[in-house]
Amino acid sequence: MTITKIGVCGAGGTMGAGIALVAARAGMQTVCFDLSPDALARQRAAAQKFFGRSVDKGRMTQGDCDAALARMQDSSDLNDLADCDMVIEAIFENLDVKKDLFAKLNAICKPDTIFASNTSTLSITQIAGGCGREDRVVGMHFCLPAQVMKLIEMSRGINTSEEVFTAAWDWTETAGQIPVETQDKPGFILNALLVPFNNDVLRAIEAGLATPEDIDTAIKVGLGYKMGPCTLLELIGLDTQVLLGEAFFPSRWTPAPPFRRSAAAWWPPDVLGINRAKGC
């Protein structure tokens, strides 16, 4: 099947907004859904800045920029997703919430609409369970920031049809992304390796091994990473790091106590001692 219209649930958040940018940039009609109109307005302004920088850097023309923005429709009405060919959810990492969303979408969307989940800690099979179209649900885990990072980890639920998986895979390539296939297991490839690494970084900071800036510099210069782990943790959020750590193997990945407390307190900007404006 051909996918030309995309819906993104949770488009008021950082991940959902990035996925919407990927779709619109690739020429897809994109419905950006979120319950918060204010969040959608903030992300609309961020989209204008992102595409504007792309024009300034010669990566796209002003005409392409204007066209991409015009393809993005903001909505807080779930019914506006009815005629989408694929709906990607990037909402809160809670099984019941995701299952409820897909059940509602099943009653709204056309029969051949594909449902995709950006989850990294939950089972695609469980998310699809009881939604009414279990064969049309697929895992598509984007990386932050989605509009910059190319990787998408693709996973099948037990009931995912080959046709649906292939169609979703082909869409990722059409959108200029790079897909890899993983099993339907929490963490997939990236987080299974990244979460314990990030937790070790937090423990190194707790132990006073080095400053966050020096850790980032060491990893970027010594290993060739484009982004240091502390900067990445600022994007991910300590609350998400704690959630990921607890979802896998707590005996190895239990977050260090000071950072668990910081996550619970909504993570003040200076917890890691990183100046966000530096982009280090």
Side-chain angles (χ1 to χ4, degrees):
M1 67 177 286
T2 302
I3 298 173
T4 59
K5 186 171 184 178
I6 298 292
V8 181
C9 292
T14 302
M15 177 62 85
I19 294 172
L21 288 173
V22 169
R25 182 174 58 194
M28 314 287 173
Q29 293 297 317
T30 307
V31 181
C32 307
F33 171 82
D34 199 278
L35 292 175
S36 169
D38 290 342
L40 287 173
R42 288 193 297 272
Q43 293 302 340
R44 168 67 63 167
Q48 293 170 339
K49 290 181 180 179
F50 176 77
F51 285 138
R53 288 195 297 269
S54 295
V55 172
D56 293 341
K57 294 179 180 179
R59 295 172 181 168
M60 65 190 315
T61 66
Q62 186 61 52
D64 289 339
C65 169
D66 295 339
L69 289 169
R71 286 190 287 267
M72 300 173 70
Q73 171 193 349
D74 294 340
S75 175
S76 292
D77 184 352
L78 210 57
N79 291 295
D80 286 337
L81 300 170
D83 62 346
C84 289
D85 301 311
M86 182 164 69
V87 177
I88 305 171
E89 70 82 5
I91 64 173
F92 183 69
E93 197 74 336
N94 179 283
L95 179 60
D96 291 337
V97 175
K98 291 179 186 288
K99 291 183 68 173
D100 180 66
L101 173 64
F102 279 175
K104 289 177 179 177
L105 288 172
N106 184 54
I108 293 172
C109 295
K110 56 187 180 180
D112 60 347
T113 299
I114 294 172
F115 294 166
S117 175
N118 183 65
T119 184
S120 63
T121 66
L122 302 172
S123 164
I124 298 302
T125 301
Q126 287 183 298
I127 291 173
C131 78
R133 59 178 79 190
E134 289 83 350
D135 61 323
R136 304 194 69 77
V137 181
V138 63
M140 296 177 63
H141 179 232
F142 291 72
C143 302
L144 276 173
Q147 67 271 30
V148 175
M149 304 296 286
K150 294 294 186 181
L151 178 67
I152 300 181
E153 296 178 307
M154 304 285 297
S155 59
R156 314 166 190 253
I158 291 176
N159 296 308
T160 305
S161 75
E162 184 63 35
E163 173 197 10
V164 164
F165 188 81
T166 299
W169 181 284
D170 290 346
W171 178 84
T172 66
E173 295 183 323
T174 299
Q177 304 298 104
I178 300 174
V180 294
E181 183 173 357
T182 76
Q183 294 185 29
D184 183 18
K185 295 182 178 180
F188 308 129
I189 299 170
L190 197 64
N191 279 327
L193 300 173
L194 185 61
V195 170
F197 173 74
N198 283 346
N199 201 46
D200 285 342
V201 169
L202 294 175
R203 290 193 176 279
I205 295 171
E206 179 188 23
L209 176 66
T211 65
E213 289 90 349
D214 283 345
I215 289 175
D216 272 6
T217 298
I219 294 300
K220 289 190 295 182
V221 176
L223 299 181
Y225 287 19
K226 292 183 178 180
M227 181 183 296
C230 297
T231 302
L232 178 60
L233 280 163
E234 291 229 336
L235 285 174
I236 295 172
L238 286 183
D239 54 342
T240 301
Q241 172 70 18
V242 169
L243 181 66
L244 291 169
E246 291 178 337
F248 305 138
F249 298 102
S251 61
R252 179 184 177 193
W253 298 351
T254 299
F259 298 99
R260 183 189 296 275
R261 291 193 295 272
S262 297
W266 297 101
W267 189 26
D270 62 347
V271 166
L272 293 181
I274 288 289
N275 181 351
R276 293 170 187 263
K278 292 168 62 178
C280 60

